[in-house]
Amino acid sequence: QVQLVESGGDVVQPGGSLRLSCAASGFTFSTYGMHWVRQPPGKGLEWVAFIRSDGSNKRYADSVKGRFTISRDNSKNTLYLQMNSLRAEDTAVYYCAKDVAAATVDYFDYWGQGTLVTVSS
Amino acid sequence: QSVLTQPPSVSGAPGQRVTISCTGSSSNIGAGYHVHWYRQLPGTAPKLLIYGNSNRPSGVPDRFSGSKSGTSASLAITGLQTEDEADYYCHSYDSSLNDYVVFGGGTKLTVL
């Protein structure tokens, strides 16, 4: 069965950095696009970033562009999110989500359990 | 606020039917882009409920149905059960924004 397991969430000071990981199993990771979606405490879902199956195309939400970098290692079946210059408003549960398509954005058929990032001094 | 508008809350008694609306614009739902729905039970990750406006993934009971018309979409739940109490989110694509993946603000369903 499909499994997505995020890790790397932590408490970090404003201006700090963090790298999240998402270990995938149960499907051919290299043939699907992947996303990061976040949810601030008590609030709704916000899309963060997308990466094409082969890593050749990446898209970011305006709120994180220039600060976050999405990447993937298809040999390790792992998705990453490098987060720099973190702000208080980045505090959220971060979910990795699998797209049903390889190269375009469609919809998310599987989600991980999430990892909490708290930005606070 | 969210690009897609949902009511913050809806409620219904067990066995009743409720609908949750998702209102967009000519650059998203009205442009013909599909609408998808996710259910988030308390303390858990979202889970796909409806895709492509009206399709149910395997395992989702036919009590759940989706529809789309013009610039809006709706999720209907019949035969309400206490375990349906959750947050529901609609999702679509917007051609006018750089943040082209857009969600509704979410609707809290309370089963009375």
Side-chain angles (χ1 to χ4, degrees), chain A residues 39 59 62 65 107-108 112, chain B residues 38 40 45 51 98-100:
Chain A
Q39 185 171 35
R59 295 289 298 267
D62 282 343
K65 196 177 297 182
Y107 61 92
F108 317 122
Chain B
Y38 305 89
Q40 186 175 34
Y51 67 93
N98 182 65
D99 295 13
Y100 56 49

Side-chain angles (χ1 to χ4, degrees), chain B residues 13-111:
Chain B
Q16 285 189 333
R17 178 182 187 269
V18 296
T19 60
I20 298 172
S21 61
C22 175
T23 302
S25 67
S26 58
S27 62
N28 43 67
I29 298 175
Y33 297 115
H34 286 163
V35 177
H36 320 290
W37 292 88
Y38 305 89
R39 177 167 78 166
Q40 186 175 34
L41 297 170
T44 68
K47 185 176 179 181
L48 180 65
L49 192 63
I50 297 286
Y51 67 93
N53 303 324
S54 59
N55 301 290
R56 287 186 308 276
S58 62
V60 174
D62 59 7
R63 300 188 298 108
F64 296 88
S65 63
S67 63
K68 188 185 109 167
S69 178
T71 58
S72 294
S74 289
L75 173 70
I77 310 172
T78 59
L80 265 184
Q81 301 178 3
T82 54
E83 53 263 39
D84 295 332
E85 193 159 288
D87 293 322
Y88 293 81
Y89 293 91
C90 60
H91 155 221
S92 188
Y93 178 100
D94 193 298
S95 59
S96 71
L97 303 174
N98 182 65
D99 295 13
Y100 56 49
V101 178
V102 290
F103 287 101
T107 299
K108 169 68 178 176
L109 168 62
T110 301
V111 182

